[in-house]
Amino acid sequence: MSVRRGLLACVAVASVLTAAACTDDSPSPTPPTPTPSTTAPPEELSFGVVGPQDVQRAFRATVDAWNLDPDHVDVEIRSWPTQAAMRSAIEAGAAVPDVFMSSRSDLSWLMENSLIQPVDELLDDRGVEFGDTYSRESLEAFSTDDHLQCMPYGVTPTVIYYNKRLVNFDRMRARGLDVPDADATSWSFDQFAAAAEFASRPARGSKGVHIDPTIEGLAPFILSGGGTVFDDPELPKSLTFSSDSSKGALERTLELLRNPQVTLDETQLDERSAVAWFQRGKLGMIAGNRSLTPILRQKNNLDFDIMPMPRLDGSATVGDVTSLCMSAQTSSASLAADFMVHEISADWVGLVASTGYLQPANVEVALSDDFLQPGRKPEHAAFFNTGVRSMSAPPLIDTLPELEETVAPSLEQLVYGVGVLDLDTITTEIDDASKPVLDPESVTDSASPSETPSE
């Protein structure tokens, strides 16, 4: 590491450790507004970031390091707590930052509104190594129209978090129960079900498992059991919960999830969230991604670890990919690309990953101590990386929130309903309800009155 680079790194790390995010209170001369015909470089670029305060402080440190170099154009941070908050601000008229974080779930919206520009050629010209440093899955997630639209930054495969006191594999093994081997990198659905039943202790008021009754929550089990969630991976017109393969996977899964002795019921979830039950030590297992880790670490007496999503037939999970995008209206794509290269370097991605929230798309950082954090929970953080290889992302459609809301009542009936499960009827209802959201034109066409001859 050069002396200059070492100095910048020390300043950035110190900024995070002291939690002293810089402000814009210090006076500075206001540059004159350039005329429309000027070709002068911009005086400042903007960087849009999202996430909790720890993540925002880490990003502030990376920007501080950039701004220390007098040869760099200054970068100003604009921050939002969530991706949805950033999108709402932009939809309400806020300027799009020159470089900004985004989720793959917003890629369709960004492209349809011409808010971004491709980054592959700009980054390739600056020597960014795509193939060796990033997984194929993360690159494909933002590749469309023969270009890389945004640069992968983070990945979020879903895994199973488990309470090690409630799901004690050694004690289960001593009782002759089916458990994964100590060095296993996967586990079967039967082993998952056995762990859920073992963790359910009525005398102590604990339940074994909670899986959200949502498309995202059930999708890993459907995919693992050989089913499909959408009728087309790119341009879906319907959900496919009622297909034979999907129903077969759901039937096996729901035998566990509909057992009120093992899973949280609606009354308990009305009282507090599943994460809160897990934090209280009253829930054996919960699905989540890396961003849940620092939240659980806040409970000092909570001993937890992770496992991959269980296998019905094959390995499968779901998740999202986050990225850094470049505004289509940036005043200097060249300078914005220079700053993007700075932000995706291993040093600075590692600094953000060290907060515990980010699972980096950069493979080098994902395998480093900045992310794996040996000696801290969860012990088997490497399973986050394993999950990337079996992760499926939803199609590039901008109606996923509406779709989840539309089918929510049927999915809740699927998981929480009492009595005999009419799987054929409910899954057909789910698929039918999805069609007006995913393919509204076909529904409009079918609803149009047919022409009849006048009398």
Side-chain angles (χ1 to χ4, degrees):
M1 178 179 289
S2 68
V3 173
R4 184 176 194 84
R5 186 178 177 194
L7 173 62
L8 297 182
C10 290
V11 171
V13 171
S15 178
V16 172
L17 292 178
T18 59
C22 296
T23 65
D24 298 324
D25 295 336
S26 57
S28 59
T30 302
T33 302
T35 62
S37 59
T38 185
T39 57
E43 294 290 338
E44 190 174 76
L45 294 175
S46 56
F47 180 32
V49 302
V50 300
Q53 288 299 316
D54 287 348
V55 172
Q56 292 187 25
R57 281 192 287 267
F59 274 119
R60 168 66 66 184
T62 69
V63 171
D64 288 345
W66 168 270
N67 287 340
L68 276 176
D69 192 325
D71 294 331
H72 289 160
V73 62
D74 281 348
V75 172
E76 177 188 27
I77 277 191
R78 297 169 57 196
S79 60
W80 291 267
T82 64
Q83 192 70 48
M86 175 189 277
R87 173 167 172 171
S88 295
I90 293 173
E91 289 178 326
V96 179
D98 295 283
V99 177
F100 61 98
M101 297 182 69
S102 183
S103 164
R104 181 181 182 275
S105 59
D106 281 336
L107 183 59
S108 176
W109 166 70
L110 292 169
M111 295 186 65
E112 288 174 1
N113 290 278
S114 301
L115 298 178
I116 58 173
Q117 58 182 297
V119 299
D120 47 355
E121 294 180 3
L122 287 164
L123 297 182
D124 184 58
D125 289 344
R126 287 157 175 79
V128 173
E129 297 180 358
F130 298 100
D132 294 335
T133 311
Y134 295 86
S135 67
R136 178 172 57 88
E137 292 81 4
S138 65
L139 292 169
E140 288 179 348
F142 282 95
S143 297
T144 184
D145 294 344
D146 298 322
H147 285 286
L148 183 67
Q149 301 297 330
C150 300
M151 188 64 200
Y153 191 81
V155 292
T156 63
T158 298
V159 299
I160 292 293
Y161 285 80
Y162 69 94
N163 181 314
K164 294 179 69 174
R165 292 190 177 95
L166 295 178
V167 180
N168 188 313
F169 290 129
D170 290 336
R171 289 176 58 193
M172 291 177 64
R173 189 177 294 107
R175 296 187 186 184
L177 300 176
D178 187 11
V179 298
D181 294 334
D183 58 350
T185 57
S186 65
W187 59 336
S188 70
F189 185 81
D190 288 342
Q191 292 170 334
F192 173 69
E197 292 168 0
F198 184 81
S200 301
R201 302 175 186 177
R204 298 185 181 181
S206 67
K207 293 291 185 71
V209 65
H210 173 78
I211 299 295
D212 286 336
T214 60
I215 298 170
E216 183 180 14
L218 294 173
F221 301 95
I222 294 174
L223 296 171
S224 177
T228 57
V229 178
F230 296 92
D231 63 349
D232 187 282
E234 296 182 1
L235 296 173
K237 296 183 178 181
S238 173
L239 292 172
T240 52
F241 277 52
S242 64
S243 68
D244 289 343
S245 55
S246 296
K247 282 193 300 184
L250 282 170
E251 186 173 17
R252 296 164 62 187
T253 303
L254 293 171
E255 184 177 355
L256 173 68
L257 300 188
R258 286 173 62 89
N259 183 349
Q261 303 301 316
V262 174
T263 59
L264 294 175
D265 57 39
E266 291 177 287
T267 300
Q268 291 173 307
L269 292 169
D270 287 340
E271 181 180 344
R272 56 177 54 90
S273 69
V275 171
W277 282 112
F278 191 92
Q279 289 176 306
R280 289 168 62 91
K282 298 297 184 180
L283 181 63
M285 295 182 290
I286 190 173
N289 57 44
R290 175 66 182 206
S291 65
L292 185 56
T293 292
I295 297 172
L296 298 181
R297 283 174 176 171
Q298 294 172 10
K299 300 290 290 186
N300 293 329
N301 61 342
L302 180 62
D303 192 9
F304 68 91
D305 203 350
I306 64 168
M307 285 289 289
M309 293 301 292
R311 296 167 51 104
L312 278 83
D313 295 323
S315 297
T317 189
V318 296
D320 198 3
V321 184
T322 58
S323 68
L324 297 185
C325 299
M326 185 183 298
S327 169
Q329 302 302 319
T330 183
S331 56
S332 176
S334 177
L335 292 177
D338 290 342
F339 174 69
M340 188 177 288
V341 170
H342 167 84
E343 286 299 310
I344 64 175
S345 69
D347 287 342
W348 307 125
V349 175
L351 185 64
V352 179
S354 68
T355 66
Y357 289 90
L358 172 74
Q359 178 171 348
N362 183 310
V363 175
E364 176 188 345
V365 182
L367 296 175
S368 74
D369 286 352
D370 284 332
F371 172 67
L372 297 176
Q373 299 181 346
R376 302 195 68 188
K377 304 167 189 173
E379 179 183 354
H380 292 91
F383 286 148
F384 287 116
N385 292 328
T386 306
V388 175
R389 295 195 292 269
S390 57
M391 186 183 82
S392 296
L396 284 176
I397 56 177
D398 199 35
T399 55
L400 284 175
E402 181 184 354
L403 179 62
E404 286 278 15
E405 183 178 358
T406 299
V407 300
S410 295
L411 290 176
E412 290 172 2
Q413 183 182 1
L414 196 67
V415 176
Y416 297 129
V418 297
V420 178
L421 172 63
D422 188 347
L423 190 58
D424 289 341
T425 298
I426 298 179
T427 55
T428 299
E429 289 176 355
I430 292 169
D431 293 349
D432 289 345
S434 73
K435 293 174 183 176
V437 179
L438 294 172
D439 190 24
E441 292 183 2
S442 66
V443 176
T444 301
D445 292 342
S446 65
S448 300
S450 58
E451 295 184 1
T452 57
S454 59
E455 295 184 2

